[in-house]
Structure formats: structure tokens, C-alpha cells
Amino acid sequence: MYHIIPMIKLRIKLPFPNKKINRLLEWANQQSFFCYFNPQQTADYPHSTFPHQLVIGNESISLNPTNYFDSLEKYIANNPKKAVYGYFSYDLKNQVEQLTSENIENINWELCGFFIPDCIINFSDNILEIESEEAEYYKSIIETLLSVDNNSVSIKNSAVIISATTSKEEYLQTVLKLKNHILEGDIYEINYCINFNVSCSHFNPIDIFLKLSNHSPTPFANLLKWKNQYVLGASPERFIKLKNSELISQPIKGTARRNEDKALDEQAKVNLKASEKERAENLMIVDLVRNDLARSSQSGTVKVEELFGIYSFKHVHQMISTITSFKKDTISSVEAIKNAFPMGSMTGAPKIRAMQLIEEYETHKRGVFSGSIGYFKGVNEFDFNVVIRSIFYDASTGVINYQVGSAITHDCNPEEEYTECLLKAHAIEQVLKQ
């Protein structure tokens, strides 16, 4: 058994540090691991968002690479009051089902990683709260950081080259092939993604993430450092949450561009809500999620709390559905995640066949993209996003890439799907080229 030491809470009243958040992030970047959650547009998001929180650590959990889920489950069971932060890579699918990942790998991500917090910093209004076994030590550091004038300089990239590894013509041809699989009855829907490589100088992941958050505010935004690798995320989507025995999943399927004209913007929302194509895409994934949650839930508790909800973000409107249930006492928190992994919104239906075709038709491994980042707060609480709208960076190799995709269905138009991919990539490209 592991020895459990309760975290000592210390609350410090300070001027809201948002103007100096980069100083805290630069300090955090000196650690082996950190995770910064920067949720925005939170007012009406059902079941809340990520907390506004910065977590640092220098020790990762030792997990068995042949069975990440089981070894993570054992660690959490032996540490029932500890919080851990980290990620699940999409390619963990190979430990859930009989699948493989043989495509090109941009960044060599570990399949799964979680670290133990040394210090948790919570932000709320004018309050900064520290949680740590060495709270006084971190208080001293943070007060010093915040007392110094914010004189960091943003360095512009002198040259940015973005190259798609899949041409538009190749994309259109692949969509036609996938639609043929749908006609033949192999699948009903598939999430097909394409990869973009980035070449630039002076890449500062902290600076770029803060610009991305400002340009594209979302409820599940995160900046994760894992040793020398980074995820800069502007995710609008929750994968799965557990709190008070309730499981919550909120798949996104359905996207419409926002319009500066107020009347046209409202009409875009109406059109998205009424779109038979978007509703069909969303409903198929809702059914898949219901089945995934049912594997971990008490009989009769799975319900669709909201179907086809329309939520507006800075650049797009999204169709989001909310499915809830109550977890069986015999199912652990890690099992509940494993039973739903990977999320249906990023695979398709039926899930296994869709993942086989993803491996066949996509050109690159997804890695952490369409995986999940989040935290466990002991044995009975967790929250994880869907890793989309994200930039991936390996400081040791200089490799930078991002991926985008859309749902392919029988009724989809290949040209429109390609346009949707570019729309989803727009915020990333704008920030990189600033």
C-alpha cells in the first residue's frame, strides 16, 4: 500500500494574475511535467468545464506498457485520495481491441502517461489558491514571480511553412472510398482525419498556447508538457466525466461557421439545428455513446439529457449532445474510461470496423490527437476532454504537427467535408502565422 499524505491547502489573496500567467507557465516549464487548464466561454456549459488550474510535477506514475489501463487502475486503487494528471493516446485502442497502428508517427508519444502533482494552483476571480505538501515553499516562489514586472517578449516566427500530408484531391478520393464502404454496409459513419506538418523558428509553446486560447477560447483548453513534448489544445469537447457516481459524455458532431452579421449568425444556428445530415451524424454517435456507457452503468440509468444542443464558440457553432448514467459500484473509474475508449465522436460506427478503416486510409498515426487529457481526483472523480483543435510539439526534435477531421456519412459532400476540415484548422493556422 502507498502512504497517503493529505495535501495542505493554503489560500493566498493576490491581484488576478492573468496578465502574468505567462510568468507562472515559464516557471512551470522548468518542471518535467505540467498541465494548465484554461477554460473559457463557461457560463452555460452543461456539467461545468475544466477548472482554471495549473498543476506541476516531477514524478510520473510507473505504468506497465503492456497494459496501461490495468496498471493505472491498480495505482489509483492504492492511492484512493490522490490526484493524478495526464493523457491517454488514441493508439491505446490496440490494448482495448485487436487493432494495430502501423502508420507514420510524427511524434513518438508514450501510449499513456500520468504524473503526480507537487503543486496545484487554482485560479478564481481575485484569488490564487495553492495546494501542496510544501505550500509555504511554493507561496514564496509564486509571490516572487508575481512581484516581478511582466517583461517577457513575444518572439514572432520568422518563417512558418504549413504543409498538408494529404492533398485536397487525395482527400476527396478517400472520402469517396469511405462512402463506398458505407454503401457496402461496413460502417454507418467514420471520422476521417488528415495531418499537417509545420516548420517554423522560435517556437515558444507557452506563447503560442496563450495566443491560441485568446484566438479560440473553449471550455476544455489545455497546455500539457510531458518531458520534452507538448500538447497545445483548444478543445471544445468533453469525452467523459465522473462525479458523484454520475457518468457524463458530451460528443460533438455538427459544425457551422459563425458570421459577423448578427442575423446571418442566428440563421446559421437555425440551419445547423435543422440539418438532417448533422442530426444524423450526431444521433449515430449518441447511440454509440449510450452503448459505451451502458457497459459501465447501472441498469436503466443511461439517458440522453440533451439531444442536438447548439453551442456557440468564437469561430463556430457546434451541435453537442449530453448523455448521462450512473456507474455500477463494481466498475472502477478506469474501467469506465476503458469501456468507452476511444470516444465515438473520433472513430465512427460500428467503432471497431471504423477504427480498422481509419488505420487503412489515414496516412499518419494519431498519437495523442483524438485521445484524451484530464485528471483523476482519487477513485471516484475524473474529467477528460477530447484532444482536438490542438498543436503537438516535440522540443527535442523540433517536430510540430496538427490534425483535423470530420464525420463521413452516406449523405456527405466531399468538398464540404474538406471545407469543414479547413475551418477547424483555421484558428491554429492564424495563430501560427501571427
Side-chain angles (χ1 to χ4, degrees):
M1 289 287 291
Y2 294 82
H3 182 51
I4 300 168
I5 303 174
M7 303 274 288
I8 302 169
K9 281 191 178 183
L10 178 66
R11 176 167 287 208
I12 309 169
K13 289 187 177 182
L14 294 169
F16 188 64
N18 237 9
K19 292 180 181 178
K20 297 184 179 181
I21 189 64
N22 62 316
R23 299 196 69 84
L24 292 181
L25 293 177
E26 287 163 4
W27 163 68
N29 200 27
Q30 299 170 30
Q31 321 304 315
S32 299
F33 313 96
F34 81 80
C35 190
Y36 176 51
F37 296 135
N38 186 29
Q40 298 177 67
Q41 295 190 325
T42 62
D44 62 347
Y45 205 87
H47 297 283
S48 72
T49 66
F50 274 162
H52 188 192
Q53 191 175 77
L54 171 62
V55 185
I56 66 165
N58 287 285
E59 181 186 355
S60 63
I61 299 172
S62 179
L63 298 175
N64 181 351
T66 63
N67 199 324
Y68 281 100
F69 283 112
D70 282 0
S71 54
L72 179 61
E73 180 178 7
K74 289 175 184 175
Y75 176 88
I76 291 174
N78 288 330
N79 296 268
K81 294 184 180 180
K82 275 190 176 289
V84 293
Y85 290 72
Y87 71 91
F88 298 103
S89 162
Y90 169 80
D91 295 299
L92 266 178
K93 65 184 175 61
N94 304 331
Q95 294 188 3
V96 178
E97 305 291 350
Q98 294 296 313
L99 299 167
T100 59
S101 298
E102 304 296 337
N103 288 325
I104 298 169
E105 193 165 43
N106 286 89
I107 295 175
N108 184 25
W109 289 96
E110 295 178 44
L111 287 181
C112 177
F114 283 84
F115 71 89
I116 303 164
D118 292 330
C119 180
I120 299 174
I121 303 169
N122 296 296
F123 304 98
S124 178
D125 299 325
N126 293 325
I127 300 297
L128 180 153
E129 182 182 271
I130 299 171
E131 295 178 51
S132 176
E133 295 169 12
E134 299 178 278
E136 289 289 347
Y137 168 73
Y138 288 110
K139 174 190 174 185
S140 175
I141 291 176
I142 291 168
E143 286 185 325
T144 300
L145 287 168
L146 297 180
S147 68
V148 178
D149 288 338
N150 191 10
N151 57 3
S152 64
V153 178
S154 174
I155 302 173
K156 290 187 177 181
N157 295 316
S158 58
V160 177
I161 300 172
I162 299 174
S163 56
T165 57
T166 300
S167 69
K168 180 180 179 180
E169 184 58 34
E170 289 170 331
Y171 176 91
L172 298 177
Q173 290 299 317
T174 300
V175 170
L176 291 176
K177 292 175 183 176
L178 293 172
K179 289 185 70 171
N180 191 55
H181 280 285
I182 294 170
L183 283 171
E184 292 177 350
D186 289 342
I187 49 172
Y188 306 109
E189 176 179 351
I190 187 168
N191 188 276
Y192 170 51
C193 299
I194 52 177
N195 178 76
F196 292 81
N197 291 328
V198 181
S199 173
C200 68
S201 57
H202 308 300
F203 188 87
N204 182 332
I206 293 170
D207 182 45
I208 296 295
F209 172 74
L210 293 175
K211 287 178 179 177
L212 181 63
S213 287
N214 182 60
H215 188 279
S216 187
T218 59
F220 301 101
N222 69 273
L223 173 60
L224 173 71
K225 178 190 180 184
W226 189 265
K227 300 177 183 176
N228 292 314
Q229 298 169 334
Y230 296 80
V231 180
L232 294 65
S235 175
E237 184 173 358
R238 168 177 278 133
F239 166 37
I240 190 169
K241 176 178 181 176
L242 173 66
K243 189 166 186 179
N244 299 324
S245 297
E246 186 177 32
L247 290 167
I248 301 132
S249 187
Q250 295 171 298
I252 293 179
K253 273 287 166 272
T255 304
R257 185 189 298 271
R258 298 210 62 175
N259 198 298
E260 292 182 5
D261 183 288
K262 213 168 187 178
L264 292 176
D265 192 54
E266 284 299 313
Q267 189 58 49
K269 290 170 66 175
V270 171
N271 292 344
L272 177 59
K273 180 82 171 180
S275 169
E276 289 187 15
K277 170 189 171 292
E278 304 288 14
R279 289 163 72 96
E281 287 181 13
N282 196 287
L283 186 59
M284 278 187 269
I285 300 307
V286 166
D287 284 342
L288 188 155
V289 171
R290 288 174 63 217
N291 289 332
D292 284 347
L293 290 188
R295 299 173 64 189
S296 305
S297 302
Q298 299 171 30
S299 179
T301 65
V302 179
K303 67 176 182 178
V304 180
E305 187 176 279
E306 182 180 31
L307 188 63
F308 309 146
I310 305 300
Y311 291 83
S312 299
F313 300 92
K314 189 172 182 179
H315 300 288
V316 294
H317 302 295
Q318 302 273 201
M319 183 180 286
I320 306 175
S321 293
T322 297
I323 305 97
T324 63
S325 68
F326 284 94
K327 185 178 71 66
K328 294 176 185 174
D329 293 338
T330 54
I331 295 288
S332 73
S333 58
V334 175
E335 280 182 289
I337 292 173
K338 182 180 179 181
N339 286 342
F341 192 87
M343 62 292 301
S345 62
M346 295 305 295
T347 58
K351 186 184 278 189
I352 294 174
R353 184 59 179 139
M355 289 190 288
Q356 290 171 338
L357 292 174
I358 286 169
E359 173 68 17
E360 180 178 345
Y361 286 102
E362 292 186 7
T363 60
H364 288 70
K365 280 187 181 178
R366 291 189 178 185
V368 183
F369 172 71
S370 70
S372 192
I373 291 171
Y375 62 88
F376 291 90
K377 194 182 273 188
V379 292
N380 296 317
E381 185 174 344
F382 62 68
D383 201 2
F384 285 88
N385 69 6
V386 176
V387 181
I388 51 176
R389 322 285 165 88
S390 298
I391 302 168
F392 305 92
Y393 171 55
D394 189 332
S396 61
T397 62
V399 172
I400 307 165
N401 79 296
Y402 62 91
Q403 300 178 59
V404 293
S406 69
I408 307 305
T409 61
H410 176 268
D411 296 326
C412 77
N413 179 297
E415 287 276 356
E416 291 176 358
E417 295 302 323
Y418 189 74
T419 300
E420 182 176 326
C421 287
L422 298 184
L423 173 61
K424 291 173 178 176
H426 179 72
I428 291 173
E429 293 178 1
Q430 290 290 103
V431 167
L432 289 171
K433 291 180 177 180
Q434 280 180 0

